[in-house]
Amino acid sequence: MTKQQMLNNLKRECENCYACEIGKKRTNLVFGAGNPDTVSVVLIGEAPGEQEDLQGKPFVGKAGQFLDEYLQKAGIDRNKDLFIINTLKCRPFVIKNSEKGIKSNRPPKKEEKLACETFMLKQIEIINPKLIILCGNNALKSLCGSKYTITKVHGTLANLEYKGRKAIAIYHPSYLISYVHSEEKNKEFLEDLKYIKSLIK
Ligand code: URA
C-alpha cells in the first residue's frame, strides 16, 4: 500500500470520528494536504479556522496567506516540499453572536487534543518525514512536551525530536499577525524558514 492509500484509510476513520463536540459541528474535516509519497517534511499547525473549516484544507485563511508569503520568501514550495497537518482536524470555535450565527476561533481544549492526537501521530508514522516543523506552541507542546516554549526554542534543531525524527519549531503565523505585530519577530520567522530551507534542499 502506498502512503497515500494508508492516509486515505486513516482519513475515512477520521471522518467517522465524533469523539468531541467540534467533530459534530464541523463543516469539513481538515485532514491535511500534500503528497505523502514525495515529501520529507511535515508541518504541524494548531487547528483549522473559519476558511479551513469551509474549504476542508489547512492554512488557507489569513494565517495561511502569511505563511505562504514567508515560505515563498524562504524558497520553500508549500505544495512540493511540505505535507501540512494540524493537531486538531476540526475547527474549535465559540458562538460570538447566536442571532447572526457569528463564530470565533478559540484555542483547542485538552480533551479535544487528546481525542485527536492519535490521528496526528498516525499521520506522522505513515508519512515518516525526515523533519517535522512545529508551527506554534500548541504543536510544539503536543509533540515534544510542555517544558518547551516557542520563544526559547524556535529556529534551532538543538534538542527537539519525535521518535528519532528531527523537529524544529517556528512561530505560529496567527501569533505574528494578530498579537505581536513586530517586524523583528517577522524577520526571525523568515530566518527560521530560511534555515529550514537549508536543511531540506
Ligand atoms: N492555523 C492553523 O494552525 N492551522 C490552520 O490550518 C489554519 C490556521
Side-chain angles (χ1 to χ4, degrees):
M1 230 195 282
T2 64
K3 289 180 183 181
Q4 186 64 68
Q5 287 166 331
M6 286 193 268
L7 282 183
N8 289 345
N9 290 343
L10 184 63
K11 186 176 177 191
R12 269 191 290 278
E13 248 182 72
C14 212
E15 280 164 344
N16 287 317
C17 174
Y18 300 99
C20 56
E21 66 181 285
I22 56 174
K24 294 167 196 142
K25 293 176 184 164
R26 67 185 174 227
T27 312
N28 285 296
L29 178 82
V30 182
F31 185 71
N35 185 341
D37 292 303
T38 57
V39 297
S40 57
V41 183
V42 164
L43 181 145
I44 309 178
E46 182 173 303
E50 181 183 22
Q51 281 306 314
E52 290 77 20
D53 173 66
L54 290 173
Q55 298 182 42
K57 294 179 191 148
F59 281 106
V60 289
K62 267 196 198 145
Q65 283 160 18
F66 184 89
L67 178 66
D68 286 351
E69 182 190 327
Y70 276 76
L71 285 173
Q72 216 175 358
K73 283 183 185 167
I76 298 172
D77 184 331
R78 165 182 172 142
N79 299 312
K80 206 172 114 251
D81 297 325
L82 307 177
F83 196 99
I84 302 182
I85 61 174
N86 282 303
T87 60
L88 297 193
K89 310 299 184 228
C90 303
R91 179 189 182 194
F93 67 89
V94 286
I95 303 280
K96 233 181 160 186
N97 182 324
S98 54
E99 273 166 35
K100 293 185 183 158
I102 299 175
K103 298 170 187 170
S104 169
N105 295 339
R106 62 158 172 78
K109 292 179 185 169
K110 206 173 166 191
E111 62 268 26
E112 292 163 350
K113 288 195 232 175
L114 272 177
C116 227
E117 189 177 59
T118 50
F119 292 116
M120 173 182 71
L121 299 181
K122 279 185 190 169
Q123 285 177 308
I124 296 171
E125 295 296 336
I126 292 170
I127 301 165
N128 194 18
K130 287 201 176 73
L131 180 69
I132 299 169
I133 305 173
L134 302 161
C135 189
N137 255 327
N138 187 69
L140 169 65
K141 289 173 190 288
S142 294
L143 208 68
C144 297
S146 55
K147 66 178 178 181
Y148 294 106
T149 304
I150 204 90
T151 45
K152 294 205 177 122
V153 302
H154 73 92
T156 167
L157 275 178
N159 44 17
L160 296 180
E161 61 103 36
Y162 173 71
K163 289 196 177 173
R165 300 172 184 97
K166 287 179 183 161
I168 187 162
I170 57 172
Y171 292 124
H172 194 288
S174 299
Y175 166 72
L176 297 176
I177 59 180
S178 308
Y179 297 99
V180 289
H181 306 288
S182 148
E183 269 313 311
E184 202 46 48
K185 285 264 185 292
N186 290 355
K187 252 197 209 160
E188 286 176 29
F189 186 59
L190 181 57
E191 286 313 310
D192 292 350
L193 291 175
K194 284 184 178 167
Y195 177 52
I196 290 170
K197 169 69 184 175
S198 77
L199 298 173
I200 64 179
K201 69 178 177 203

